[in-house]
Amino acid sequence: MTESLIIRGGHVVTATDTFRADVLIADGKIAALGVDDGWTADRVIDADGHYVLPGGIDTHTHFEHHNLKGTTRTADDFRTGSAASAAGGTTTFVDFVRGLPGESLIDAFHRRRTAAEQGSMIDFGFHLMVPATANSDDSFDQLRQLTAEFGATSWKFFMAYTGLMVPDDVLIRGFTEAKALGVLPMVHAENGHMVNAAVDALIEEGKTEEHHHMHGHPAAAEREAIVRAATIAEWVDTPLFIVHVSSADGVGEIQALQSRGRPVFGETCPHYLVTGYEDYSQADFEAAKYICSPPIRESSHQEPLWNALATGVLGSVGTDHATYTMDQPEDLPPQKPQGRGFFPNVPPGVPGAEERLMVLYEHGVARGRFDLNRFVDMTSTNPAKTFGLYPRKGTIAPGSDADVVIWDPQADHTISADRHRSRAGYTLYEGMSVSGAPRHVFSRGQQLVRDGELVELYGHGRYQPRTTLRDRTPTPLPADRSDSSLPIDCEV
Ligand code: URP
Ligand code: ZN
Ligand code: ZN
Ligand code: ZN
């Protein structure tokens, strides 16, 4: 049993409100919220001058992720990935399950659940990946079974990557099966044929230096895939979630769909918001740090993505944390150097689990792009609602899990990979000064960060079954928040 705790005098921030309140935590849950009029607890933490936020929820991670060919694996496993998340104020992640060559989805689910339960410091769930071959094998039987038995209520479809790319008939059947179960379909929206053609043309022209990766993934491929997936979803009549939206083009399509009343939701990632092609277009192998799919595009895409977050067109910020090192440690399969001078061989992915909240707070809240409530919504509440974790997670309310971050808005912290937990060994935000950082982090009442220092509690994390779309109040279309007041409405 975890100790009971009173968090005294902080400003509680939810997706809708900011108010001064004491918080009582007992048995891993939030027991009360209000004025401490004689509560008793094992310990009291003074949160004066701090925000009390629901723990971050990152619904897009790739920890201990093997590539399709089985030739490499991410540098971060569930231990280091979850440690990075916790250190950055994230208390729940939702990762993915895909069978390795010759492995069933059900076996893959149990393998990954066991590994995460042994290694992870924080709670977790899994999205299930729909294989490209699903219409001709027993994948849908397995998907149905895992969804019913373990509450894995979101399925991911890849529209790119040879071998993973689902043909349209799998999208059609998959969305139909998902609808019948109340499962939320998600797509990696890039037209894989356009990407392959663009990459082949670059190879043909000898343009294989690392930075050319960006030209191999045109924004038009993202736009086409969003429109196609959304059109099929509309025909099937199911909601749809677009992961890692990276372009103004993609955002424009999502906005147009929403204005017609379509329940199409989307996520973007910190790296698309604060880094741009200009940051690596002149680099040689260093550009491999930025290689991920979809790519980090020209910085002109940043403001449309920020606007989409501020107005709610995009409701979530996930990390897509998928890490490969820039050197080659002996204990890891081929990392980024494998593709030196030939971008198609650079394993794609960037780190972000530890930096997500700090980067969003600095560039979003501190710079006046949106308010604190919106920040909490896109990093915790809305991901929890979208993926069936709410209200157990994603808010500060009596009865919710005591996943709590005590946030110091005057942290004056400089981001550096030297102090960070990811095995990536680098961050795209090296040297960035941020004015807010997590001071204390609790997962189900258990302290994981104390005075900014990580408490290594590997294996504390537990698998989280999630509700179906039918078992929750329907996720409404994102509200128009374009007129929300920007300045933080309290002084600290
Ligand atoms: O480049 C990335 N994002 N790698 C991870 C897999 C994916 O496409 O999300
Ligand atoms: Zn993806
Ligand atoms: Zn991903
Ligand atoms: Zn305050």
Side-chain angles (χ1 to χ4, degrees), residues 30 34 47 113 240 244 247 250 269 359 362 364 409 441 446-447 478 481:
I30 299 192
R113 178 179 173 169
L240 178 67
H244 54 42
S247 66
C269 313
V359 169
E362 179 60 30
V441 177
Q446 182 73 54
Q447 192 153 12
R481 295 168 192 268

Side-chain angles (χ1 to χ4, degrees), residues 13 18 51 361 365-366 368 370-373 409 485-492:
V13 186
T18 306
Y51 296 127
Y361 182 85
V365 180
F370 42 72
D371 64 17
L372 260 177
N373 308 103
S485 57
L486 281 178
I488 304 168
D489 59 6
C490 75
E491 292 168 40
V492 278

Side-chain angles (χ1 to χ4, degrees), residues 60 62 156 158 161 188-190 243-244 293-294 320:
H60 195 155
H62 298 276
K156 162 109 172 266
F158 269 105
Y161 298 132
H188 171 127
E190 284 187 291
V243 302
H244 54 42
S293 297
D320 200 8

Side-chain angles (χ1 to χ4, degrees), residues 399-474:
S400 293
D401 283 354
D403 295 353
V404 178
V405 175
I406 301 182
W407 186 267
D408 180 357
Q410 276 154 0
D412 196 15
H413 176 83
T414 301
I415 292 180
S416 172
D418 286 349
R419 285 189 299 276
H420 280 198
R421 293 288 170 156
S422 166
R423 267 204 81 185
Y426 74 91
T427 159
L428 300 181
Y429 319 110
E430 187 68 38
M432 182 188 286
S433 341
V434 292
S435 53
R439 176 130 202 91
H440 304 289
V441 177
F442 299 86
S443 160
R444 282 180 279 105
Q446 182 73 54
Q447 192 153 12
L448 297 182
V449 173
R450 186 185 285 260
D451 287 320
E453 295 298 322
L454 191 72
V455 181
E456 300 191 17
L457 257 184
Y458 300 113
H460 166 75
R462 283 292 159 264
Y463 177 75
Q464 304 292 310
R466 295 176 288 118
T467 57
T468 67
L469 292 169
R470 284 200 297 262
D471 304 329
R472 36 184 135 130
T473 27

Side-chain angles (χ1 to χ4, degrees), residues 215-301:
H215 304 291
H217 291 254
E222 179 166 274
R223 191 165 64 74
E224 191 283 338
I226 289 172
V227 171
R228 178 160 40 103
T231 306
I232 294 172
E234 178 163 7
W235 182 60
V236 169
D237 190 23
T238 174
L240 178 67
F241 188 86
I242 318 285
V243 302
H244 54 42
V245 178
S246 66
S247 66
D249 316 58
V251 159
E253 295 299 343
I254 293 171
Q255 186 165 21
L257 287 154
Q258 289 175 353
S259 65
R260 287 202 292 110
R262 290 303 308 157
V264 176
F265 311 105
E267 157 203 82
T268 189
C269 313
H271 44 278
Y272 300 125
L273 293 163
V274 298
T275 69
Y277 180 59
E278 295 84 346
D279 295 324
Y280 64 98
S281 61
Q282 303 300 317
D284 42 27
F285 179 57
E286 282 288 292
K289 284 182 176 172
Y290 294 82
I291 290 186
C292 61
S293 297
I296 296 171
R297 305 181 191 280
E298 297 89 344
S299 54
S300 56
H301 291 271

